[in-house]
Amino acid sequence: MLATNESRLVEILLQCQPGQPRTRGTWEVDHQGTPFILPSIGGITLNLQVGDPAFGWEGDHIEPGVSCTADTHKPYEHPNVTVQMLSCVGNTATIVSGEAKGETGVVLGHHGGSEHIIVDFPREVKEKMAYGDTIMVKSRGQGLKLSDFPQISLFNLDPSLLAKMKITVADDGVLEVPVTTLVPAYCMGSGIGSAHVAKGDYDIVTSDPEAVREFGIDRIRFGDFVALLDQDNRYGRAYRKGAVTIGVVVHSDCREAGHGPGVTTIMTCATAGIRPVIDSKANIADLLGIGTRL
């Protein structure tokens, strides 16, 4: 077990509700110049869940599970910003009103732009939900630290999920973290330059078919842990040679230029303190026994 400051983390209840699906109300255009009208961000998405492929759907920026917001009218203001910044991957979410009252789900991550948090619930639970239902997230994780690895920064990560990630310490003192995919820095797009990573995500660009095939990006699943190489996320999203960032895939592939599967950051190091190790089951679904498992 990795030593952490878990006992000193603050637990706060956050309130949100399912956010209505959003469209721009007109044609959108893909990176080949082709217009399209398809499902996109938001909503209670019935047939997608953590562990499903992030590619191949007739949609754009699809958020699996239930997209949640505290205030759809003020997505960039309180209380929605607070829900974004304090909810962590792996947090428990409980429905406290409506027909699905008492059912629980797991926070998958944040999606910037839409300013949603994404919560995975089983389909039978989603079938009973309504857009006015109240969901309470048990927030715990921001401020989490690895006591013996001060050079590694953690964000957006519930300590109970950290304990299940099968991270080991190699003989040379480097943390070996299981991931499904290694993503080179030049494949990172929308979201680079953000001031911090405590909310939102950034995208793996998929407009180049050769890079997608070479790095197996098209095999990514919702909930995959992926390694973003030469990416330093300590104080925003930036290129730094030798840095490694670990994130969780939170939305589907995209058709627009500069976009692709979205990643919420959970771990970053500006030096070679993290060594990603390929494991096809490095996915929240497989670790927590939820969703679609290999």
Side-chain angles (χ1 to χ4, degrees):
M1 295 291 293
L2 296 169
T4 72
N5 63 338
E6 177 180 355
S7 64
R8 297 190 294 280
L9 295 179
V10 178
E11 297 181 10
I12 297 179
L13 289 178
L14 306 173
Q15 180 173 311
C16 55
Q17 61 186 31
Q20 293 275 1
R22 299 185 193 178
T23 66
R24 293 182 180 174
T26 186
W27 293 101
E28 296 186 61
V29 180
D30 70 13
H31 55 77
Q32 301 290 347
T34 305
F36 65 89
I37 294 175
L38 290 169
S40 188
I41 60 176
I44 300 170
T45 307
L46 295 176
N47 63 328
L48 276 74
Q49 60 187 358
V50 66
D52 283 341
F55 284 74
W57 304 99
E58 294 296 342
D60 182 85
H61 288 85
I62 299 297
E63 300 167 349
V66 179
S67 305
C68 299
T69 179
D71 189 338
T72 21
H73 300 292
K74 298 179 179 179
Y76 302 104
E77 299 178 29
H78 175 78
N80 200 53
V81 170
T82 303
V83 169
Q84 279 271 310
M85 293 186 69
L86 296 185
S87 61
C88 292
V89 181
N91 284 168
T92 299
T94 303
I95 304 169
V96 298
S97 69
E99 188 179 345
K101 182 178 179 179
E103 299 286 359
T104 60
V106 176
V107 174
L108 180 59
H110 322 130
H111 185 183
S114 66
E115 304 307 307
H116 287 136
I117 65 168
I118 302 162
V119 184
D120 183 80
F121 289 101
R123 177 167 183 145
E124 59 269 22
V125 173
K126 293 185 285 188
E127 294 273 12
K128 295 187 290 184
M129 294 180 71
Y131 285 101
D133 288 349
T134 299
I135 298 171
M136 301 300 293
V137 175
K138 185 178 181 182
S139 162
R140 185 177 69 145
Q142 294 296 28
L144 183 63
K145 295 181 176 66
L146 296 173
S147 304
D148 300 324
F149 299 90
Q151 74 276 26
I152 296 175
S153 300
L154 304 181
F155 297 94
N156 314 314
L157 180 61
D158 191 302
S160 64
L161 180 57
L162 172 67
K164 295 179 179 180
M165 287 175 60
K166 302 179 182 178
I167 297 172
T168 59
V169 182
D171 292 340
D172 58 0
V174 173
L175 279 195
E176 295 191 331
V177 181
V179 299
T180 67
T181 313
L182 305 178
V183 182
Y186 60 79
C187 283
M188 298 311 299
S190 177
I192 285 179
S194 297
H196 64 81
V197 296
K199 70 184 187 78
D201 66 313
Y202 69 138
D203 289 7
I204 302 170
V205 177
T206 54
S207 54
D208 184 76
E210 290 187 15
V212 169
R213 286 193 299 270
E214 180 181 356
F215 299 104
I217 293 169
D218 54 350
R219 297 193 295 272
I220 285 174
R221 299 184 292 152
F222 300 120
D224 270 1
F225 295 97
V226 296
L228 312 178
L229 306 180
D230 299 318
Q231 291 289 294
D232 178 5
N233 280 194
R234 294 172 303 159
Y235 307 110
R237 303 184 181 108
Y239 173 84
R240 186 182 299 272
K241 189 173 182 179
V244 176
T245 289
I246 306 296
V248 176
V249 175
V250 297
H251 70 68
S252 76
D253 185 28
C254 311
R255 299 173 185 238
E256 295 176 315
H259 293 263
V263 179
T264 291
T265 298
I266 59 169
M267 182 180 296
T268 190
C269 186
T271 59
I274 297 173
R275 179 179 299 128
V277 178
I278 295 296
D279 179 352
S280 62
K281 292 188 176 183
N283 185 289
I284 292 174
D286 296 283
L287 295 184
L288 300 184
I290 60 175
T292 303
R293 303 182 289 280
L294 288 183

